[in-house]
Amino acid sequence: MTIAEYLEWEPLQELRYEYVHGTVIAMAGGTIPHNDIALNLYHALYPQVRSKGCRINVADVKVEVNSNSPYYYPDVVVSCHPDDLTARKLLPHPKLIVEVLSPGTEAKDRGEKFAHYRSSPTLQEYVLIESEKVGVECYRRGEGRLWLYYPYIDGDVITLESIDFSFPIALLYENVSLGENA
């Protein structure tokens, strides 16, 4: 499938599909903790992001990594680019991308997606949040092709330099059931 075919076809589908170099991949549903973590982050970031004239979206907004592919649906995305502020179909200029990890998507989020996301010239931070235990990893763009790694554990304060915001890691896990509980 070409990019043009995908962009025309995908909005007509009941499910969401990511697109990677000609292949479409159906998006699986997440767990309740996965959703709760993403929403906790969204609620914390929303006032900060909006006060800076940026936008924040959760789950159902497609990111165009580059014009040749791929197209992904991150769990949370922030963009401050003027073209993205009025976008209706996709965001080509992300500043911050967050993925909440699950056992089924963790390898893809850490590997393939991060490799593609790094090619976005506007991306400043890529954040991975654990959904089965407390833990966050932040990758921050450095000089050239260098990405700096910042791990956070229980009790830490997370700093997102791209949007000048810090918050306790506990905020992400507020009212979230971790572990094996159904």
Side-chain angles (χ1 to χ4, degrees):
M1 181 178 287
T2 67
I3 292 172
E5 290 169 336
Y6 163 74
L7 292 173
E8 185 177 319
W9 170 84
E10 201 257 351
L12 304 175
Q13 307 310 304
E14 287 185 31
L15 298 176
R16 293 177 300 145
Y17 291 83
E18 293 182 331
Y19 177 90
V20 182
H21 304 296
T23 302
V24 292
I25 302 114
M27 299 294 300
T31 64
I32 292 173
H34 182 282
N35 184 266
D36 290 344
I37 291 166
L39 289 175
N40 284 346
L41 178 61
Y42 173 83
H43 288 295
L45 295 184
Y46 183 84
Q48 174 73 9
V49 167
R50 297 301 293 166
S51 73
K52 292 186 174 300
C54 302
R55 72 177 303 152
I56 183 171
N57 293 97
V58 179
D60 288 329
V61 173
K62 185 173 20 227
V63 168
E64 177 185 72
V65 176
N66 63 58
S67 60
N68 296 320
S69 184
Y71 293 84
Y72 291 122
Y73 284 93
D75 291 308
V76 177
V77 60
V78 173
S79 178
C80 301
H81 193 280
D83 293 345
D84 287 357
L85 298 180
T86 57
R88 297 189 41 85
K89 295 183 179 182
L90 55 89
L91 300 177
H93 309 286
K95 184 174 197 164
L96 167 68
I97 291 177
V98 179
E99 295 286 2
V100 179
L101 301 175
S102 64
T105 65
E106 182 173 358
K108 184 177 181 180
D109 291 340
R110 290 182 182 284
E112 172 192 315
K113 280 189 176 182
F114 187 36
H116 285 124
Y117 285 148
R118 287 191 307 259
S119 71
S120 170
T122 60
L123 185 65
Q124 296 300 306
E125 286 177 302
Y126 181 54
V127 178
L128 300 172
I129 303 174
E130 297 280 353
S131 67
E132 297 191 342
K133 62 182 180 182
V134 176
V136 173
E137 297 171 63
C138 179
Y139 295 88
R140 190 169 296 131
R141 187 181 294 275
E143 293 294 321
R145 295 187 315 182
L146 180 68
W147 284 81
L148 305 172
Y149 174 70
Y150 298 87
Y152 297 95
I153 58 172
D154 199 10
D156 285 348
V157 172
I158 297 169
T159 299
L160 299 175
E161 287 185 2
S162 64
I163 57 170
D164 191 30
F165 188 66
S166 296
F167 58 93
I169 195 172
L171 183 145
L172 296 174
Y173 297 97
E174 188 174 294
N175 297 318
V176 175
S177 296
L178 298 176
E180 300 298 318
N181 298 336

